[in-house]
Amino acid sequence: MPINQNVFSSLAAWRRRAVSRAVHRGARWVREAAAVTAGRPGPYRFRRIGTGTRLAFPQGTVFGDPWIELGDHCIIAQDVTLTAGMMPDLDLGPEPILTLGNGVVLGRGSHVIADVRLTIGDDCFFGPGVYVTTTNHSYDDPEVPVGKQWPRADPVSIGPGSWIGTGAVILPGARLGRNVVVAAGAVVRGEVPDHAVVAGAPAKVVRRWDPATGWQPPLRTPAPVPIPEGVTPEQLVALGEWVADEAAAPAGEA
């Protein structure tokens, strides 16, 4: 009897592993087949999808796509919302409403909501859960629920090379300069100059680049050392393994 139980147990375990492998293979196939690219736009009619751009599956809410331009080599992660207009099936005129430059990365679960002009410059990187909107509810009338009052809209622009940290919120009317860093969880409104770091809610400038004196206040960590020219990927892998071995060795053995 124990032998039979072991046989049946082994068969059940093998069956579970086989089913698990099949499910994962199927999931990978679905993610690949349902990704949106210029060659496979799926149900969308974007004004433009650049070469090498990919929207991962599952996509978030997407509408107003004829007024959305996506540059080349953009990476748009799962569950990212991209909308132009306040609701689907509106005629928004001849000009684009939402434009992503080349090389833009939008982290998982981010929302980019454009009722009026919204531009994101080249090589901007967003962490997960970033929220960018051109529109906010008004609360002028104290007798009417806020959600039923007509919203206000103001264009938003994010300069090229900027980094937007996880969970940041970019409010209507925000104008971010070039190579701006927005700290995680910051709430940004108004104008942010080039080469500035902002943090907090509401966000304030906490560091800026001065051409004469460098970063002010000075950076607390040294600049990363670039990889020397001529170093091969194999050498980098070997160096990483050596560092790991050194870190794992008991004290006194290194």
Side-chain angles (χ1 to χ4, degrees):
M1 182 64 68
I3 294 176
N4 290 339
Q5 287 179 342
N6 289 338
V7 169
F8 287 128
S9 177
S10 298
L11 286 173
W14 177 87
R15 191 181 301 112
R16 286 194 295 270
R17 289 194 295 271
V19 170
S20 177
R21 286 194 293 268
V23 168
H24 283 281
R25 282 196 297 268
R28 284 194 295 271
W29 182 88
V30 169
R31 286 196 297 269
E32 180 62 31
V36 170
T37 64
R40 296 182 301 176
Y44 305 116
R45 299 176 295 124
F46 289 108
R47 187 183 184 98
R48 178 175 183 266
I49 304 181
T51 301
T53 289
R54 179 185 179 95
L55 285 74
F57 177 83
Q59 291 88 39
T61 300
V62 177
F63 62 76
D65 29 310
W67 289 270
I68 298 176
E69 294 183 329
L70 308 176
D72 299 335
H73 305 292
C74 295
I75 300 173
I76 298 171
Q78 296 180 18
D79 301 313
V80 170
T81 290
L82 296 172
T83 66
M86 296 185 67
M87 61 189 68
D89 303 322
L90 296 177
D91 184 351
L92 303 177
E95 300 300 322
I97 298 296
L98 170 58
T99 300
L100 272 60
N102 300 326
V104 171
V105 176
L106 300 182
R108 182 194 295 253
S110 292
H111 292 65
V112 183
I113 313 296
D115 295 337
V116 294
R117 193 80 172 101
L118 192 159
T119 59
I120 298 174
D122 295 346
D123 301 313
C124 286
F125 288 71
F126 288 40
V130 173
Y131 190 91
V132 185
T133 182
T134 63
T135 304
N136 215 345
H137 286 290
S138 60
Y139 49 89
D140 302 71
D141 190 335
E143 302 301 324
V144 177
V146 172
K148 293 184 177 182
Q149 298 192 42
W150 194 254
R152 289 188 174 90
D154 206 355
V156 169
S157 63
I158 299 175
S162 294
W163 168 264
I164 313 299
T166 300
V169 177
I170 312 297
L171 292 173
R175 297 176 302 281
L176 280 62
R178 182 183 184 87
N179 278 36
V180 166
V181 175
V182 176
V187 179
V188 183
R189 62 183 304 172
E191 189 159 353
V192 178
D194 294 347
H195 309 295
V197 180
V198 296
K204 300 182 183 302
V205 174
V206 296
R207 180 172 280 118
R208 290 191 65 178
W209 171 261
D210 182 277
T213 59
W215 286 105
Q216 297 299 324
L219 299 175
R220 293 190 295 268
T221 56
V225 178
I227 298 173
E229 292 186 12
V231 174
T232 66
E234 291 77 15
Q235 290 172 324
L236 289 176
V237 171
L239 177 62
E241 293 174 347
W242 178 82
V243 170
D245 291 341
E246 289 293 302
E253 290 188 9

